[in-house]
PDB file of all heavy atoms in Angstrom:
ATOM      1  N   ILE A  75      21.095  -4.324 -14.591  1.00 92.00           N
ATOM      2  CA  ILE A  75      19.735  -4.880 -14.550  1.00 92.00           C
ATOM      3  C   ILE A  75      18.726  -3.766 -14.297  1.00 92.00           C
ATOM      4  O   ILE A  75      17.661  -3.721 -14.924  1.00 92.00           O
ATOM      5  CB  ILE A  75      19.632  -5.981 -13.476  1.00 92.00           C
ATOM      6  CG1 ILE A  75      20.534  -7.158 -13.846  1.00 92.00           C
ATOM      7  CG2 ILE A  75      18.188  -6.462 -13.337  1.00 92.00           C
ATOM      8  CD1 ILE A  75      20.601  -8.238 -12.781  1.00 92.00           C
ATOM      9  N   HIS A  76      19.053  -2.856 -13.357  1.00 93.00           N
ATOM     10  CA  HIS A  76      18.179  -1.701 -13.124  1.00 93.00           C
ATOM     11  C   HIS A  76      17.908  -0.968 -14.433  1.00 93.00           C
ATOM     12  O   HIS A  76      16.756  -0.622 -14.748  1.00 93.00           O
ATOM     13  CB  HIS A  76      18.839  -0.734 -12.133  1.00 93.00           C
ATOM     14  CG  HIS A  76      18.530  -1.006 -10.697  1.00 93.00           C
ATOM     15  ND1 HIS A  76      17.249  -0.948 -10.182  1.00 93.00           N
ATOM     16  CD2 HIS A  76      19.337  -1.324  -9.650  1.00 93.00           C
ATOM     17  CE1 HIS A  76      17.263  -1.218  -8.896  1.00 93.00           C
ATOM     18  NE2 HIS A  76      18.515  -1.459  -8.543  1.00 93.00           N
ATOM     19  N   MET A  78      18.236  -2.043 -17.621  1.00 93.00           N
ATOM     20  CA  MET A  78      17.494  -2.841 -18.608  1.00 93.00           C
ATOM     21  C   MET A  78      16.008  -2.896 -18.274  1.00 93.00           C
ATOM     22  O   MET A  78      15.147  -2.695 -19.142  1.00 93.00           O
ATOM     23  CB  MET A  78      18.071  -4.260 -18.667  1.00 93.00           C
ATOM     24  CG  MET A  78      19.358  -4.370 -19.444  1.00 93.00           C
ATOM     25  SD  MET A  78      19.801  -6.107 -19.792  1.00 93.00           S
ATOM     26  CE  MET A  78      20.198  -6.693 -18.153  1.00 93.00           C
ATOM     27  N   VAL A  79      15.706  -3.176 -17.012  1.00 94.00           N
ATOM     28  CA  VAL A  79      14.307  -3.336 -16.614  1.00 94.00           C
ATOM     29  C   VAL A  79      13.559  -2.006 -16.741  1.00 94.00           C
ATOM     30  O   VAL A  79      12.395  -1.972 -17.141  1.00 94.00           O
ATOM     31  CB  VAL A  79      14.215  -3.899 -15.179  1.00 94.00           C
ATOM     32  CG1 VAL A  79      12.767  -3.921 -14.699  1.00 94.00           C
ATOM     33  CG2 VAL A  79      14.801  -5.309 -15.127  1.00 94.00           C
ATOM     34  N   ALA A  80      14.244  -0.913 -16.423  1.00 90.00           N
ATOM     35  CA  ALA A  80      13.610   0.409 -16.522  1.00 90.00           C
ATOM     36  C   ALA A  80      13.244   0.759 -17.958  1.00 90.00           C
ATOM     37  O   ALA A  80      12.357   1.589 -18.191  1.00 90.00           O
ATOM     38  CB  ALA A  80      14.536   1.475 -15.945  1.00 90.00           C
ATOM     39  N   LEU A  82      11.846  -1.253 -20.026  1.00 93.00           N
ATOM     40  CA  LEU A  82      10.712  -2.061 -20.478  1.00 93.00           C
ATOM     41  C   LEU A  82       9.397  -1.291 -20.388  1.00 93.00           C
ATOM     42  O   LEU A  82       8.706  -1.111 -21.387  1.00 93.00           O
ATOM     43  CB  LEU A  82      10.629  -3.349 -19.644  1.00 93.00           C
ATOM     44  CG  LEU A  82      11.851  -4.270 -19.705  1.00 93.00           C
ATOM     45  CD1 LEU A  82      11.674  -5.445 -18.754  1.00 93.00           C
ATOM     46  CD2 LEU A  82      12.089  -4.765 -21.131  1.00 93.00           C
ATOM     47  N   ASP A  83       9.024  -0.897 -19.189  1.00 92.00           N
ATOM     48  CA  ASP A  83       7.789  -0.147 -18.955  1.00 92.00           C
ATOM     49  C   ASP A  83       7.897   0.477 -17.573  1.00 92.00           C
ATOM     50  O   ASP A  83       8.795   0.138 -16.795  1.00 92.00           O
ATOM     51  CB  ASP A  83       6.554  -1.057 -19.067  1.00 92.00           C
ATOM     52  CG  ASP A  83       6.527  -2.132 -17.993  1.00 92.00           C
ATOM     53  OD1 ASP A  83       6.178  -1.807 -16.834  1.00 92.00           O
ATOM     54  OD2 ASP A  83       6.862  -3.286 -18.299  1.00 92.00           O
ATOM     55  N   PRO A  84       6.995   1.387 -17.226  1.00 92.00           N
ATOM     56  CA  PRO A  84       7.136   2.092 -15.942  1.00 92.00           C
ATOM     57  C   PRO A  84       6.922   1.231 -14.703  1.00 92.00           C
ATOM     58  O   PRO A  84       7.208   1.680 -13.593  1.00 92.00           O
ATOM     59  CB  PRO A  84       6.050   3.181 -16.032  1.00 92.00           C
ATOM     60  CG  PRO A  84       5.739   3.319 -17.479  1.00 92.00           C
ATOM     61  CD  PRO A  84       5.924   1.967 -18.058  1.00 92.00           C
ATOM     62  N   HIS A  85       6.411   0.001 -14.865  1.00 94.00           N
ATOM     63  CA  HIS A  85       6.050  -0.792 -13.683  1.00 94.00           C
ATOM     64  C   HIS A  85       6.877  -2.058 -13.498  1.00 94.00           C
ATOM     65  O   HIS A  85       6.754  -2.717 -12.463  1.00 94.00           O
ATOM     66  CB  HIS A  85       4.559  -1.133 -13.726  1.00 94.00           C
ATOM     67  CG  HIS A  85       3.688   0.081 -13.696  1.00 94.00           C
ATOM     68  ND1 HIS A  85       3.566   0.881 -12.581  1.00 94.00           N
ATOM     69  CD2 HIS A  85       2.911   0.646 -14.654  1.00 94.00           C
ATOM     70  CE1 HIS A  85       2.753   1.892 -12.847  1.00 94.00           C
ATOM     71  NE2 HIS A  85       2.339   1.770 -14.092  1.00 94.00           N
ATOM     72  N   SER A  86       7.687  -2.412 -14.469  1.00 95.00           N
ATOM     73  CA  SER A  86       8.642  -3.498 -14.256  1.00 95.00           C
ATOM     74  C   SER A  86       9.803  -2.946 -13.440  1.00 95.00           C
ATOM     75  O   SER A  86      10.343  -1.884 -13.756  1.00 95.00           O
ATOM     76  CB  SER A  86       9.165  -4.035 -15.593  1.00 95.00           C
ATOM     77  OG  SER A  86       8.165  -4.746 -16.278  1.00 95.00           O
ATOM     78  N   THR A  87      10.180  -3.666 -12.376  1.00 95.00           N
ATOM     79  CA  THR A  87      11.235  -3.159 -11.494  1.00 95.00           C
ATOM     80  C   THR A  87      12.155  -4.291 -11.045  1.00 95.00           C
ATOM     81  O   THR A  87      11.739  -5.447 -10.933  1.00 95.00           O
ATOM     82  CB  THR A  87      10.648  -2.497 -10.224  1.00 95.00           C
ATOM     83  OG1 THR A  87       9.794  -3.435  -9.553  1.00 95.00           O
ATOM     84  CG2 THR A  87       9.864  -1.256 -10.566  1.00 95.00           C
ATOM     85  N   TYR A  88      13.394  -3.927 -10.784  1.00 95.00           N
ATOM     86  CA  TYR A  88      14.383  -4.847 -10.219  1.00 95.00           C
ATOM     87  C   TYR A  88      14.478  -4.566  -8.735  1.00 95.00           C
ATOM     88  O   TYR A  88      14.578  -3.416  -8.307  1.00 95.00           O
ATOM     89  CB  TYR A  88      15.738  -4.630 -10.891  1.00 95.00           C
ATOM     90  CG  TYR A  88      16.878  -5.380 -10.256  1.00 95.00           C
ATOM     91  CD1 TYR A  88      16.885  -6.777 -10.202  1.00 95.00           C
ATOM     92  CD2 TYR A  88      17.960  -4.702  -9.713  1.00 95.00           C
ATOM     93  CE1 TYR A  88      17.938  -7.466  -9.627  1.00 95.00           C
ATOM     94  CE2 TYR A  88      19.032  -5.381  -9.138  1.00 95.00           C
ATOM     95  CZ  TYR A  88      19.014  -6.772  -9.099  1.00 95.00           C
ATOM     96  OH  TYR A  88      20.055  -7.447  -8.516  1.00 95.00           O
ATOM     97  N   ILE A  89      14.406  -5.631  -7.925  1.00 95.00           N
ATOM     98  CA  ILE A  89      14.448  -5.480  -6.471  1.00 95.00           C
ATOM     99  C   ILE A  89      15.771  -6.054  -5.977  1.00 95.00           C
ATOM    100  O   ILE A  89      15.970  -7.277  -5.987  1.00 95.00           O
ATOM    101  CB  ILE A  89      13.262  -6.206  -5.788  1.00 95.00           C
ATOM    102  CG1 ILE A  89      11.940  -5.799  -6.457  1.00 95.00           C
ATOM    103  CG2 ILE A  89      13.221  -5.891  -4.304  1.00 95.00           C
ATOM    104  CD1 ILE A  89      10.749  -6.618  -5.992  1.00 95.00           C
ATOM    105  N   ASP A  90      16.699  -5.183  -5.585  1.00 92.00           N
ATOM    106  CA  ASP A  90      18.004  -5.664  -5.123  1.00 92.00           C
ATOM    107  C   ASP A  90      17.897  -6.263  -3.721  1.00 92.00           C
ATOM    108  O   ASP A  90      16.857  -6.179  -3.061  1.00 92.00           O
ATOM    109  CB  ASP A  90      19.053  -4.554  -5.191  1.00 92.00           C
ATOM    110  CG  ASP A  90      18.673  -3.322  -4.373  1.00 92.00           C
ATOM    111  OD1 ASP A  90      18.004  -3.479  -3.330  1.00 92.00           O
ATOM    112  OD2 ASP A  90      19.038  -2.208  -4.775  1.00 92.00           O
ATOM    113  N   ALA A  97      10.114  -5.143   0.529  1.00 89.00           N
ATOM    114  CA  ALA A  97       9.084  -5.479  -0.459  1.00 89.00           C
ATOM    115  C   ALA A  97       8.249  -6.674   0.011  1.00 89.00           C
ATOM    116  O   ALA A  97       7.024  -6.693  -0.147  1.00 89.00           O
ATOM    117  CB  ALA A  97       9.733  -5.791  -1.807  1.00 89.00           C
ATOM    118  N   GLN A 328       2.086  -7.541 -13.055  1.00 96.00           N
ATOM    119  CA  GLN A 328       3.473  -7.925 -12.793  1.00 96.00           C
ATOM    120  C   GLN A 328       3.537  -9.290 -12.109  1.00 96.00           C
ATOM    121  O   GLN A 328       2.631  -9.662 -11.352  1.00 96.00           O
ATOM    122  CB  GLN A 328       4.191  -6.902 -11.891  1.00 96.00           C
ATOM    123  CG  GLN A 328       4.644  -5.655 -12.609  1.00 96.00           C
ATOM    124  CD  GLN A 328       3.485  -4.760 -12.988  1.00 96.00           C
ATOM    125  OE1 GLN A 328       2.612  -4.483 -12.182  1.00 96.00           O
ATOM    126  NE2 GLN A 328       3.453  -4.336 -14.235  1.00 96.00           N
ATOM    127  N   ARG A 329       4.613 -10.000 -12.390  1.00 94.00           N
ATOM    128  CA  ARG A 329       4.907 -11.264 -11.711  1.00 94.00           C
ATOM    129  C   ARG A 329       6.273 -11.115 -11.050  1.00 94.00           C
ATOM    130  O   ARG A 329       7.242 -10.709 -11.710  1.00 94.00           O
ATOM    131  CB  ARG A 329       4.922 -12.408 -12.725  1.00 94.00           C
ATOM    132  CG  ARG A 329       4.946 -13.806 -12.103  1.00 94.00           C
ATOM    133  CD  ARG A 329       4.875 -14.858 -13.203  1.00 94.00           C
ATOM    134  NE  ARG A 329       4.748 -16.205 -12.645  1.00 94.00           N
ATOM    135  CZ  ARG A 329       4.742 -17.310 -13.393  1.00 94.00           C
ATOM    136  NH1 ARG A 329       4.839 -17.218 -14.714  1.00 94.00           N
ATOM    137  NH2 ARG A 329       4.625 -18.499 -12.821  1.00 94.00           N
ATOM    138  N   GLU A 330       6.332 -11.405  -9.762  1.00 93.00           N
ATOM    139  CA  GLU A 330       7.586 -11.244  -9.016  1.00 93.00           C
ATOM    140  C   GLU A 330       8.351 -12.565  -9.053  1.00 93.00           C
ATOM    141  O   GLU A 330       7.887 -13.573  -8.537  1.00 93.00           O
ATOM    142  CB  GLU A 330       7.296 -10.830  -7.575  1.00 93.00           C
ATOM    143  CG  GLU A 330       8.530 -10.358  -6.827  1.00 93.00           C
ATOM    144  CD  GLU A 330       8.184  -9.766  -5.475  1.00 93.00           C
ATOM    145  OE1 GLU A 330       7.686  -8.618  -5.440  1.00 93.00           O
ATOM    146  OE2 GLU A 330       8.403 -10.467  -4.458  1.00 93.00           O
ATOM    147  N   ILE A 331       9.544 -12.541  -9.648  1.00 92.00           N
ATOM    148  CA  ILE A 331      10.296 -13.776  -9.898  1.00 92.00           C
ATOM    149  C   ILE A 331      11.675 -13.674  -9.254  1.00 92.00           C
ATOM    150  O   ILE A 331      12.373 -12.665  -9.406  1.00 92.00           O
ATOM    151  CB  ILE A 331      10.433 -14.028 -11.414  1.00 92.00           C
ATOM    152  CG1 ILE A 331       9.046 -14.077 -12.071  1.00 92.00           C
ATOM    153  CG2 ILE A 331      11.206 -15.312 -11.683  1.00 92.00           C
ATOM    154  CD1 ILE A 331       9.068 -13.980 -13.569  1.00 92.00           C
ATOM    155  N   LEU A 333      15.590 -14.258  -8.794  1.00 90.00           N
ATOM    156  CA  LEU A 333      16.720 -14.401  -9.708  1.00 90.00           C
ATOM    157  C   LEU A 333      17.791 -15.326  -9.139  1.00 90.00           C
ATOM    158  O   LEU A 333      18.871 -15.462  -9.707  1.00 90.00           O
ATOM    159  CB  LEU A 333      17.315 -13.027 -10.026  1.00 90.00           C
ATOM    160  CG  LEU A 333      16.377 -12.077 -10.771  1.00 90.00           C
ATOM    161  CD1 LEU A 333      17.050 -10.742 -11.046  1.00 90.00           C
ATOM    162  CD2 LEU A 333      15.887 -12.697 -12.074  1.00 90.00           C
ATOM    163  N   THR A 337      17.928 -11.640  -5.038  1.00 93.00           N
ATOM    164  CA  THR A 337      17.307 -10.505  -5.716  1.00 93.00           C
ATOM    165  C   THR A 337      16.081 -11.001  -6.487  1.00 93.00           C
ATOM    166  O   THR A 337      15.911 -12.200  -6.719  1.00 93.00           O
ATOM    167  CB  THR A 337      18.278  -9.824  -6.700  1.00 93.00           C
ATOM    168  OG1 THR A 337      18.648 -10.761  -7.725  1.00 93.00           O
ATOM    169  CG2 THR A 337      19.530  -9.354  -5.971  1.00 93.00           C
ATOM    170  N   LYS A 338      15.228 -10.067  -6.887  1.00 95.00           N
ATOM    171  CA  LYS A 338      14.013 -10.427  -7.615  1.00 95.00           C
ATOM    172  C   LYS A 338      13.741  -9.396  -8.706  1.00 95.00           C
ATOM    173  O   LYS A 338      14.240  -8.277  -8.660  1.00 95.00           O
ATOM    174  CB  LYS A 338      12.811 -10.469  -6.658  1.00 95.00           C
ATOM    175  CG  LYS A 338      12.907 -11.549  -5.578  1.00 95.00           C
ATOM    176  CD  LYS A 338      11.657 -11.581  -4.705  1.00 95.00           C
ATOM    177  CE  LYS A 338      11.738 -12.686  -3.666  1.00 95.00           C
ATOM    178  NZ  LYS A 338      10.515 -12.767  -2.850  1.00 95.00           N
ATOM    179  N   VAL A 339      12.941  -9.809  -9.675  1.00 95.00           N
ATOM    180  CA  VAL A 339      12.468  -8.875 -10.685  1.00 95.00           C
ATOM    181  C   VAL A 339      10.944  -8.924 -10.684  1.00 95.00           C
ATOM    182  O   VAL A 339      10.339  -9.998 -10.579  1.00 95.00           O
ATOM    183  CB  VAL A 339      13.022  -9.208 -12.085  1.00 95.00           C
ATOM    184  CG1 VAL A 339      12.548 -10.565 -12.570  1.00 95.00           C
ATOM    185  CG2 VAL A 339      12.633  -8.117 -13.092  1.00 95.00           C
ATOM    186  N   ARG A 340      10.335  -7.757 -10.707  1.00 95.00           N
ATOM    187  CA  ARG A 340       8.880  -7.653 -10.811  1.00 95.00           C
ATOM    188  C   ARG A 340       8.603  -7.301 -12.271  1.00 95.00           C
ATOM    189  O   ARG A 340       8.713  -6.145 -12.689  1.00 95.00           O
ATOM    190  CB  ARG A 340       8.372  -6.577  -9.864  1.00 95.00           C
ATOM    191  CG  ARG A 340       6.927  -6.719  -9.472  1.00 95.00           C
ATOM    192  CD  ARG A 340       6.566  -5.786  -8.336  1.00 95.00           C
ATOM    193  NE  ARG A 340       6.978  -6.300  -7.044  1.00 95.00           N
ATOM    194  CZ  ARG A 340       7.047  -5.575  -5.932  1.00 95.00           C
ATOM    195  NH1 ARG A 340       6.747  -4.296  -5.972  1.00 95.00           N
ATOM    196  NH2 ARG A 340       7.419  -6.126  -4.799  1.00 95.00           N
ATOM    197  N   LEU A 341       8.234  -8.306 -13.060  1.00 96.00           N
ATOM    198  CA  LEU A 341       8.185  -8.182 -14.510  1.00 96.00           C
ATOM    199  C   LEU A 341       6.752  -8.131 -15.016  1.00 96.00           C
ATOM    200  O   LEU A 341       5.911  -8.931 -14.609  1.00 96.00           O
ATOM    201  CB  LEU A 341       8.906  -9.384 -15.132  1.00 96.00           C
ATOM    202  CG  LEU A 341       9.217  -9.326 -16.630  1.00 96.00           C
ATOM    203  CD1 LEU A 341      10.269  -8.264 -16.919  1.00 96.00           C
ATOM    204  CD2 LEU A 341       9.714 -10.699 -17.102  1.00 96.00           C
ATOM    205  N   THR A 342       6.463  -7.191 -15.908  1.00 97.00           N
ATOM    206  CA  THR A 342       5.144  -7.111 -16.522  1.00 97.00           C
ATOM    207  C   THR A 342       4.949  -8.297 -17.460  1.00 97.00           C
ATOM    208  O   THR A 342       5.733  -8.491 -18.392  1.00 97.00           O
ATOM    209  CB  THR A 342       4.979  -5.794 -17.295  1.00 97.00           C
ATOM    210  OG1 THR A 342       5.069  -4.702 -16.380  1.00 97.00           O
ATOM    211  CG2 THR A 342       3.647  -5.738 -18.010  1.00 97.00           C
TER     212      THR A 342
END
Side-chain angles (χ1 to χ4, degrees):
I75 296 175
H76 271 298
M78 282 193 291
V79 174
L82 300 176
D83 64 77
H85 298 291
S86 289
T87 56
Y88 172 62
I89 310 171
D90 58 32
Q328 282 72 47
R329 191 177 186 184
E330 192 172 284
I331 303 166
L333 296 180
T337 62
K338 296 183 178 182
V339 63
R340 203 169 280 165
L341 192 68
T342 297

